[in-house]
Every structure is written in structure tokens, then in C-alpha cells.
Amino acid sequence: MAAPNQIAYTNKRVLDRYLALEQPADKVMATYIWIDGTGENVRAKTRTLDSIPKSPKDLPIWNYDGSSTYQADGSNSDIYLHPCAIYRDPFLLGNNILVLCETYRHNGKPTESNHRKSCAEVMDRAKDQHPWFGLEQEYTLLDQDLHPFGWPKNGFPGPQGPYYCGVGANKVFGRDIVEAHYKACLYAGVMICGTNAEVMPAQWEFQVGPAEGVKMADDMWVARYLLHRVAEDFGVVVTLDPKPVPGNWNGAGAHTNFSTTAMREENGIIEIEKAITKLSKQHIRHIKAYDPHEGKDNERRLTGHHETSSIHDFSAGVANRGCSVRIPRQVAEEKKGYLEDRRPSSNCDPYSVSEVLVRTMCLDE
Ligand code: ADP
Ligand code: MN
Ligand code: MN
Ligand code: MN
């Protein structure tokens, strides 16, 4: 029986013949990327440009059918794509580009899933404090039958223990995808800074940052696009579900590391502690911003077990992975650096997460 996307398994040498065709020097293939109405999934479509753009302002505003992306009714369905960041295209190479976009309605208002606009405004108001973010994106690879990749089809792998940062064909599943994705991110211009195999087999993590302001979330969305797209080439599915396998298996988060200039300077630990006090008073507001369903997704993950804190309480501590917020050991020793908010869900919108962090800690809202 032929799998529906059997093409994923055909020899890519055939594709290479066409990709090697000479491209006219004045033509650029621009793949516009945006977040759809789920607030979790990305969409993309490609057009030809007649010159090489130097900045997003040089790029045309484009549109698409929002009734097919959970963003509009069929009767008034055009949604507008406003280019906001350019990356190199690691698939089509040459002058071809990826264009990260914001989405707007015909009346000029941002769509419900456009959280970038308000994030960028908040970052601008806090720019004197130079907020830096580093996000750890955990994710799980699935087979096309949506069963965890590499797991026995009728049962479970052995209990957690040997898999985290594991090496060997019985410890980790899907390293090809992880390495291809890492290279693709570096080529594209995404500030990826590391990767590791996670506690649950077929679960992995990569980190982006530290990047200032809205740049971290821009890079994270492009990194997610690249991950889905690379995995597609391997015939594998990526899920950002925060608890893909119920029971004694770790969930997936998006730990968000944060600092300001004051935190990074000598004795910045005092600023870090002040910021944690502010966070402790806004726990519910943050939980609402940390997954696309106002805490519903994180309810399955933040149980107080499997290296998580309870969704109902705020806690903080040095080197404690069972807390909402962790001060890394090295930061406590050097008395400066950053804090780690461990609450965001793997499927969070990094625009919403970074925005609320700045509102609470930098703008005292
Ligand atoms: P963990 O020990 O929690 O697994 P990782 O090494 O996975 O930590 O991730 C650390 C993250 O912290 C990276 O995304 C990195 O960019 C970020 N980071 C490092 N220094 C800072 C800083 N001063 N401000 C904000 N983020 C930072
Ligand atoms: Mn990590
Ligand atoms: Mn991790
Ligand atoms: Mn972490």
C-alpha cells in the first residue's frame, strides 16, 4: 500500500536535479510564513520577486484565504501578510528567502493570532532595559501514524533514564532530523545556540538566544517552521503538544530565560530577586499567556511531577527544577545573569510569553 506522502521516501536525488537548475539572476523565490488561526501552526506560500529585497519594507504586502486557515468566514476571507523579518532559505538556497509575516484583517486590525504587534510595541517601551530572551523548545517526533517515532508499535520503550542526552540507536530516535534542523537554522540566520536529546525517547530540545526584544520570538517561529519542514523531508511529524504521552513520561515545555542589563551587571542577583517577587504576584496572568488555551494545555503538563511545578502555585529556587522559576546555580554563584521561567508550554506563542514577562518585570504593569 502506498503511503499518502510516499514522495517523502523517494530518492531525493531526483529533486536535486531540478533544484540544481539555474535560476534567473533577477528572480527571487520568497516563501511567506505566518501563524494560522490555531495560534500554534505555521502556514507558508511562495511567490517570485523581481529584485533582491534589503529589508522587510522592500517586500510587497500579500494576502491569502483566511477561511482556509481558521481565520475568516468565506464571505470576507482575505487576510493580509505584512512582512516583518527576512531569513535565508536553506531549502531553495541562492538568493531565495523566507519571509516571516504578521497577519492583518481587511480593516487593518491584527488577527486574533497576531501577537507580534503588541509584543513589538511592549519591547519598544522597555528597550532601555535591553530585555534578552533565550527559549528552550522541547518537541516530540512522531511517525506518520502519530505514534512516537522509534517506539515499539505495540507497547512502550523501557522507562525513562537512559535517553536524556543519550547516544546509540537504542537510546535516541531521529538524530538525523535534529542535525539537519540545526544546520538549516544556522544557514537561515536563526540564533540557535544548542540542542539535546530529552528525557522521553523521541523527545528533543533546541535553544534559541540570547536575543533582544522581539527577535527571539521571530527566530523561534522560523526555527519551528524549519523543524516541521525538515521533518517533512524525512517523512516524520513534529508535535509541540505539552504532554504527548500521558503517564510516566516527561511532558514538553518552553523554558524561557530572561535578563535585563541590570540583571547582567555586578550584583544583578538583587534585580533578579526583585523580578521574581513581581512574577510571584502575577502567577495566574502568566499561566494564561503560557499556552494557546489560557492554561488548559499546561494543565496536563504542570503536575508537580516530571521536573515540573504545580500549575496552581508559584515557587522559585536556586537550581531547583521542580520550581516555576529557577535561578541557575552558576547565576547564584556569580551573583548576576538571568532567571529561567519553566512554566511556558512547548506550544506557547513566544510573542505572548516574552510580552507578559516584560510587562510584569520591566514595566510593572
Ligand atoms: P537548561 O540548563 O535549563 O537546560 P539550556 O542550556 O537548555 O538551559 O538553555 C539556556 C538558555 O538560556 C539558552 O536559550 C540561552 O540563550 C539562554 N540565556 C543564556 N544567557 C542568557 C541571558 N543572560 N539572558 C537571557 N537568556 C540567556
Ligand atoms: Mn535546556
Ligand atoms: Mn529540556
Ligand atoms: Mn531549562
Side-chain angles (χ1 to χ4, degrees), residues 260-272:
T260 57
T261 307
M263 294 177 184
R264 293 185 293 268
E265 283 172 351
E266 287 312 300
N267 269 318
I269 191 79
I270 294 167
E271 284 300 316
I272 292 174

Side-chain angles (χ1 to χ4, degrees), residues 136 138 205 255 257 321 326 340 342:
E136 305 166 46
E138 293 178 338
E205 168 179 320
H255 300 168
N257 301 271
R321 290 172 193 270
R326 174 175 72 114
E340 177 193 45
R342 300 175 59 81

